[in-house]
């Protein structure tokens, strides 16, 4: 199968050595790559380009954010996407493959079977693994600043996240009405078998 690999040089563990190891793992598995693309330079793939090149499988070695952007850009494409853990949390890769690393997943290619996962559609786009709504989501900004090693920025963004989490507009689930009527600083939504998992996180005090 014609396979391309998309990587993100800006993702957590996605350094040159890790990418070379992934490329070698494909070669060892008898599924040598036809092309390697850095998403941080080229952006998400275009379906027309993949169709013209006869790509049947697109491997993504990146974190959840990049993987989500790549997959949602390909909605309607009839190829397969192989999700590999190459970022910080790798929630989607862990959901699909457990705790196996990228090399172990690639070596098991003959045993892998395509699945069509449920997703969550929102006004902001499609989420493959989860959505966190509410002022508590500002903690993701702290994570990004921390990743860049900007310590003064971490302090400033943390103070803003604390302020938003404790005094920002809360989010309530109204249809159906579940949880606290006054809402939560964060509501997490996750597609699950036969429905959707909904969790509310409160932040009544700074602590």
């Amino acid at each position: 199968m014609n396979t391309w690999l998309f990587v993100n040089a800006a993702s957590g563990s996605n350094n040159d050595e890790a990418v070379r190891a992934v490329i070698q793992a494909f070669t060892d598995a008898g599924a040598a790559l036809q092309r390697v693309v850095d998403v941080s330079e080229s952006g998400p793939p275009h379906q027309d380009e993949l169709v013209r090149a006869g790509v049947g499988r697109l491997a993504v070695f990146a974190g959840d954010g990049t993987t989500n952007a790549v997959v949602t850009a390909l909605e309607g494409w009839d190829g397969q996407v192989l999700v590999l853990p190459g970022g910080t949390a790798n929630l989607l890769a862990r959901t699909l493959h457990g705790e196996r690393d990228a090399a172990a997943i690639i070596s098991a290619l003959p045993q892998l079977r395509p699945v069509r996962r449920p997703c969550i559609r929102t006004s902001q786009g499609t989420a493959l693994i989860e959505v966190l709504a509410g002022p508590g989501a500002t903690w993701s900004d702290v994570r990004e600043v921390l990743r860049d090693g900007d310590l003064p920025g971490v302090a400033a963004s943390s103070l803003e996240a604390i302020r938003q989490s404790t005094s920002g507009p809360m989010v309530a689930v109204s249809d159906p009405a579940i949880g606290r009527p006054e809402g939560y600083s964060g509501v997490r939504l996750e597609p699950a078998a036969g429905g959707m998992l909904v969790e509310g996180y409160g932040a009544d005090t700074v602590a």
Side-chain angles (χ1 to χ4, degrees), residues 101-176:
D101 61 16
I105 295 168
I106 296 167
S107 67
L109 272 176
Q111 289 78 47
L112 298 182
R113 295 292 177 265
V115 296
R116 187 180 296 275
R117 282 184 49 78
C119 62
I120 299 176
R121 294 195 185 279
T122 79
S123 60
Q124 303 303 306
T126 301
L128 301 179
I129 186 69
E130 67 179 17
V131 171
L132 180 61
T138 52
W139 284 101
S140 63
D141 298 334
V142 180
R143 180 191 63 189
E144 294 303 317
V145 175
L146 182 62
R147 179 181 295 173
D148 294 337
D150 179 6
L151 294 183
V154 169
S157 58
S158 294
L159 290 173
E160 175 62 16
I162 290 172
R163 188 184 70 81
Q164 288 286 346
S165 297
T166 55
S167 61
M170 299 293 103
V171 174
V173 182
S174 60
D175 186 14

Side-chain angles (χ1 to χ4, degrees), residues 8-20:
N8 183 356
S11 285
S13 59
N14 210 320
N15 54 41
D16 291 342
E17 183 179 352
V19 171
R20 286 194 295 269

